[in-house]
Amino acid sequence: MNVLVIGVDQMRFDTPGCLRMPNHAETPALDALARRGTLFENAYTTCPLCSPARASIFTGQHAFHHRMCTNCDMYQPVTYDLERPQELLHNAFLRRGYDCLYEGKWHVCTHAGPVDLGFQGMNSRNYGNFSSSPDFLDYLEKNGYSRRISDPVYYNNWNQTLGAGVWDGPEESTPEYYLAQRTIDALTAQAKTGRPFFMTCQFWGPHGPHLPPRSYVGRNDRSRIVPWENMDDDLRGKAAIIRRELDFYACAPETWPQWREIIGLYLDFSSFIDSQIGRILSALDDLGLRDDTLVFFESDHGDMTGAHGGSIDKGFLYEEAMHVPMIAAGPGIRSGVRTKELVYNMDILPTAMDMLDMPIPETVDARSLKALLCGGQYTGRDQIYLEFHGLRFLYSQRGLITADGMKYILSAGDFDEVYDLNADPWELHNVIEDPAYAGRVTDLKKRMMDQAAAVRDPLANYICKIFGQWNHPAVSNWLPTV
């Protein structure tokens, strides 16, 4: 049995067309994958930032355990490289005799690329945007393609922070087409060897800058794009970090027509990436590999795309950044299923390992979803635990989402937030001081303490103390003495 993990960067959970959410993109390939597999409606990332999220996907650990807590190559990295790369889960596949192949964005370590750590394929390091890599530039030159961006939109002064634009060239000249072709070539080579493989293809987009080729601009009708319901959020009741992030982007769009076009380009870019995913899945069929390959689709985290008062990028514990699309399909996996169970994107590799009868290491915080996918006896999560350690500066936030739709956001240097996602899915009304929710808030604080202790969060002792429990027994059992 083979494993293929297709990843995208910074795709909102409501982007794929199969969910039919407001402002969804046209994504026929993902829609078809969802029909023949299981679609997760409540999948989350552990952390809304590239390096921590990606390291969690490939280790199955919370960021505060693998310690790649911030982006590895910018601002204030907690660490530049994984301290224990031997805990990357592809090592289990290598030990089982699998060929492990990596194509696309890495951004897990600064100095060590995937090839340095046992993969075959593309050895992208640092930020991982292979559109500037020597191999891609050679590809453009050999084929007579140019690398030109038209109609650029910048989010900061002096043409800093390119947000969106048009890739001015044929589809074959784009990094997305190039990456898909590399993946197809790798699949073709594997089919000839007959050896089992674990392969991952990681697209850069729709992470900004959103750069669809001109042939895809307008693919998503602008007339059907409507403002997010929290686009005019006045940010009252929210931690100060979100206002500071708005200050960072000095040239952010100020009018709805400007935002509508940026959202449109984001959706067009997502549709183009979907077309390249479709090419990969078609190749899997053509090569006769479909019936012997587990396929997973995931995003490392989401994207604000103008939500909450015109916010840009990620780095918040709000749904737009934390809630991600995720699909599983393949032999033994139930088809046409939509599940509301709380899951993480870091559950993917432990699930694949379990389906292949590989032991899951004790270092893993994630869990196998095999029973859920295959129709066995599955006990769902009562809650999931979220973390954020800062993007442009070190900053501690933790969160908890319960199976019945309550959400607690703890900001260590600010006030906290509580949202009822059933009544307020756009997180507009912080009910932490609402008397009607007093009992729920008390329960959420207890669950935050218990969960922080259970996952051995280094912040657990602090969380318990600020909630008034100075001697939480679960913390005392493992907290090192000084």
Side-chain angles (χ1 to χ4, degrees), residues 84-104:
R84 301 181 303 278
Q86 68 273 16
E87 293 177 358
L88 288 162
L89 293 178
H90 75 285
N91 287 300
F93 290 86
L94 288 172
R95 289 191 292 270
R96 186 61 70 90
Y98 275 63
D99 290 338
C100 292
L101 303 99
Y102 201 105
E103 298 292 349

Side-chain angles (χ1 to χ4, degrees), residues 377-397:
Q377 189 65 37
Y378 177 77
T379 302
R381 290 183 172 97
D382 293 326
Q383 64 261 319
I384 57 171
Y385 194 68
L386 314 175
E387 59 182 307
F388 179 55
H389 308 272
L391 170 53
R392 286 168 255 280
F393 52 91
L394 299 180
Y395 185 86
S396 291
Q397 282 189 311

Side-chain angles (χ1 to χ4, degrees), residues 54-102:
R54 289 172 172 275
S56 291
I57 289 169
F58 288 105
T59 62
Q61 300 173 10
H62 284 288
F64 47 69
H65 287 159
H66 60 62
R67 293 185 56 78
M68 183 58 67
C69 293
T70 56
N71 274 347
C72 62
D73 59 330
M74 59 188 301
Y75 296 104
Q76 292 178 296
V78 172
T79 182
Y80 290 99
D81 293 283
L82 282 176
E83 296 176 356
R84 301 181 303 278
Q86 68 273 16
E87 293 177 358
L88 288 162
L89 293 178
H90 75 285
N91 287 300
F93 290 86
L94 288 172
R95 289 191 292 270
R96 186 61 70 90
Y98 275 63
D99 290 338
C100 292
L101 303 99
Y102 201 105

Side-chain angles (χ1 to χ4, degrees), residues 127 177 197 251 258:
Y127 204 33
Y177 184 96
F197 61 83
C251 300
Q258 290 174 317

Side-chain angles (χ1 to χ4, degrees), residues 146-184:
S146 63
R147 185 172 179 269
R148 187 173 65 252
I149 296 168
S150 299
D151 306 317
V153 176
Y154 291 95
Y155 290 148
N156 278 313
N157 295 319
W158 305 292
N159 291 345
Q160 297 292 309
T161 316
L162 178 63
V166 177
W167 186 276
D168 217 350
E171 296 174 18
E172 293 80 4
S173 72
T174 63
E176 294 72 37
Y177 184 96
Y178 170 75
L179 176 58
Q181 189 59 53
R182 284 187 62 113
T183 304
I184 291 167

